[in-house]
Amino acid sequence: MIIKISSLRRELPLYLYFISLATVIDYFAIQNINFLFLAFAGLGLIVFLISNSEAIQRPGQGFLSFLFFFMALVSFVNYSTARWTALLYSGFFIFTFILYSSFFKQYLSINQIRKLLKIVFYLYFTGLIAGQLNVYFDLFAPLSGIFGFMRGSFGTILEKDGLRFFSLSSEPSYAAFMVIATFYTYLKMDPRKGTLYEGENLLMFLILLYMVLMFKSAYGVVLVGLMVLDFIGFSSTVLFMTLIIFGILTFLVANEYDIRVLNRVVNIIQKIDLSDPHSLYAIDFTAYYRVAPTLHYFRSADWTDFFFLLGHGPGASRLFVVPEIYGGYLGGEFLGGFMPAFFYDYGLIGGLLVMFFLLRQVPIFFSFPTAVFILMLLNANFNTQLFWYVVLCFHLLKYCPSTNPLVDKGDQPTLTQLKSEIG
């Protein structure tokens, strides 16, 4: 196989950006900033533009440019209290996404993007196995954290209820979102519309189930269930998949594995009082920790306040005090998800602008990607790799038709070419 140097110069920066956006290696992450990703994304962009002058075209995503302009305006309004590094970080995510997403659609075929997704998927599986081997050989040693929340190497974390794994992400729930979004996009991009329960797809699905169980993420369990329904619907195949899942769970129970994540989901469903969301506090504090800030934000907000509409400036949400979960603040600062942290920083207008942008990435409102976005916004903020990786996956998927005769003929069209083919 002969690799053309010109193709390598064009594609390698895209590969490095995609993989580095999807992964976090603790040794290169300082104060929640992944400097390895910054280096690959920034240098890769420079190399790509220098060696591919024809790539310098007018990119799309004008709405994102407007969003950044709005964020900058809010920052200047709150000049004295704004955390300018947070705005710069947001700008980096926005403009690298604008450029790289355009290059992905211009220069990579569906098969190349699917290979990238598969690489990310198996990297996460490899990272999980490495973490488990690290624990199995009694090599776990805390690198950081506080009592009851000790982080070790190879994506391991020791909590009060035992060990959890998060592979190449920054925490277990993030890892669950990553692998589920990756697997979903990989299957949906299949030009031949392969089913969930055939060949390598079934193998990857079983690996996905194993990873979600080991991450012990309640988000992961809910999303896997929704994803299965999205793929197979309510048909006879539901029975087939149910039997497989039941068999796996039976094996784990028979071997006395602690399936805490399933217990958490069942316990919440059984005990929660839907008329009083705060009842979740006594049932599952970790789950309540995700919900309480949003409840507190809207309960305490003044809808006529100027700052409620335009926000308090980037980084202001770190001082946002939620009395019910104050004891869970790490380092004395609030590190919440997009809801309500971004709303507090950039106001109701800013939050609605981002949500409008996200809705443009989904095929229809009532869809699996919408469910992913909704749950993700409770867990991850705007300046996170998880947020932009999931957005990139669903953005590229939007330009990929479910079937394409060119691929069956052996051709490798890019997403831009496919878009022109379908009108």
Side-chain angles (χ1 to χ4, degrees):
M1 179 180 177
I2 299 176
I3 300 177
K4 296 181 180 180
I5 300 299
S6 59
S7 297
L8 188 62
R9 286 201 308 262
R10 185 177 63 202
E11 296 166 3
L12 184 59
L14 303 183
Y15 295 164
L16 291 177
Y17 169 80
F18 191 87
I19 294 173
S20 62
L21 177 63
T23 57
V24 176
I25 300 176
D26 280 343
Y27 300 104
F28 298 99
I30 302 175
Q31 294 184 346
N32 298 317
I33 297 178
N34 183 0
F35 287 93
L36 186 64
F37 163 67
L38 293 180
F40 277 134
L43 294 177
L45 191 59
I46 294 172
V47 171
F48 187 91
L49 293 175
I50 291 176
S51 59
N52 301 277
S53 58
E54 75 280 4
I56 307 177
Q57 303 176 12
R58 179 186 176 187
Q61 304 294 340
F63 185 83
L64 275 180
S65 300
F66 170 76
L67 173 63
F68 181 73
F69 173 79
F70 175 83
M71 295 168 68
L73 177 63
V74 171
S75 302
F76 279 107
V77 170
N78 297 278
Y79 181 85
S80 60
T81 58
R83 180 179 280 187
W84 292 95
T85 53
L87 177 66
L88 290 176
Y89 201 30
S90 297
F92 182 84
F93 273 117
I94 289 174
F95 289 110
T96 53
F97 174 84
I98 290 174
L99 293 171
Y100 273 108
S101 63
S102 175
F103 299 152
F104 273 114
K105 288 179 287 188
Q106 290 180 54
Y107 298 107
L108 295 187
S109 67
I110 288 179
N111 280 353
Q112 287 174 307
I113 295 175
R114 293 186 79 233
K115 287 178 182 177
L116 267 176
L117 291 163
K118 186 186 291 189
I119 289 172
V120 169
F121 184 85
Y122 282 111
L123 278 176
Y124 266 84
F125 181 55
T126 302
L128 172 61
I129 298 301
Q132 291 179 316
L133 290 175
N134 186 56
V135 172
Y136 179 79
F137 289 107
D138 199 24
L139 298 175
F140 176 85
L143 300 177
S144 63
I146 59 176
F147 178 75
F149 195 81
M150 305 295 291
R151 296 169 65 96
S153 55
F154 297 100
T156 54
I157 184 169
L158 179 60
E159 298 181 347
K160 294 179 180 179
D161 296 324
L163 276 163
R164 296 177 70 185
F165 301 92
F166 53 92
S167 188
L168 298 178
S169 186
S170 55
E171 64 154 277
S173 61
Y174 280 28
F177 275 101
M178 284 285 193
V179 294
I180 291 170
T182 300
F183 178 73
Y184 177 85
T185 308
Y186 173 79
L187 256 64
K188 283 292 185 179
M189 273 193 168
D190 187 353
R192 297 173 179 84
K193 301 181 67 174
T195 60
L196 182 64
Y197 49 88
E198 67 178 19
E200 189 178 13
N201 292 350
L202 178 58
L203 173 63
M204 292 178 68
F205 177 66
L206 296 177
I207 291 175
L208 176 70
L209 287 179
Y210 179 76
M211 286 195 286
V212 170
L213 288 174
M214 293 303 104
F215 297 152
K216 298 180 181 178
S217 168
Y219 283 116
V221 172
V222 173
L223 288 175
V224 166
L226 294 174
M227 183 186 68
V228 170
L229 291 177
D230 180 272
F231 275 115
I232 64 179
F234 294 97
S235 64
S236 59
T237 54
V238 172
L239 177 61
F240 176 77
M241 297 305 301
T242 301
L243 290 175
I244 292 178
I245 297 172
F246 180 77
I248 294 173
L249 295 179
T250 301
F251 171 79
L252 293 173
V253 172
N255 287 273
E256 298 181 351
Y257 282 82
D258 178 19
I259 316 177
R260 184 166 62 91
V261 60
L262 297 178
N263 294 336
R264 287 180 61 196
V265 175
V266 173
N267 192 46
I268 291 173
I269 293 175
Q270 289 179 338
K271 297 181 179 180
I272 191 170
D273 180 2
L274 295 178
S275 63
D276 179 19
H278 293 281
S279 64
L280 184 60
Y281 181 94
I283 302 171
D284 190 314
F285 179 76
T286 302
Y288 184 70
Y289 184 87
R290 312 292 187 186
V291 178
T294 302
L295 296 175
H296 178 70
Y297 172 74
F298 285 108
R299 183 178 57 190
S300 60
D302 180 359
W303 294 72
T304 62
D305 184 19
F306 171 82
F307 293 102
F308 176 75
L309 295 176
L310 286 182
H312 299 78
S317 59
R318 70 188 188 279
L319 304 177
F320 179 65
V321 178
V322 184
E324 299 96 321
I325 64 168
Y326 185 76
Y329 282 38
L330 297 178
E333 294 187 353
F334 171 63
L335 301 175
F338 179 88
M339 287 289 296
F342 191 89
F343 276 72
Y344 190 85
D345 289 344
Y346 295 102
L348 179 65
I349 296 175
L352 292 178
L353 286 175
V354 175
M355 296 182 77
F356 177 73
F357 164 72
L358 293 179
L359 289 176
R360 294 176 64 184
Q361 314 310 316
V362 301
I364 56 175
F365 180 78
F366 293 102
S367 63
F368 177 74
T370 302
V372 174
F373 281 142
I374 291 173
L375 293 179
M376 182 183 70
L377 294 184
L378 294 173
N379 197 25
N381 205 347
F382 190 81
N383 284 359
T384 59
Q385 290 175 228
L386 169 60
F387 182 97
W388 289 102
Y389 178 75
V390 173
V391 169
L392 179 60
C393 284
F394 293 158
H395 175 75
L396 295 176
L397 185 58
K398 184 177 67 171
Y399 286 86
C400 176
S402 58
T403 58
N404 179 53
L406 292 177
V407 177
D408 292 332
K409 295 176 183 178
D411 296 325
Q412 298 290 316
T414 65
L415 293 183
T416 300
Q417 292 169 340
L418 283 174
K419 185 182 177 183
S420 64
E421 285 290 329
I422 61 177

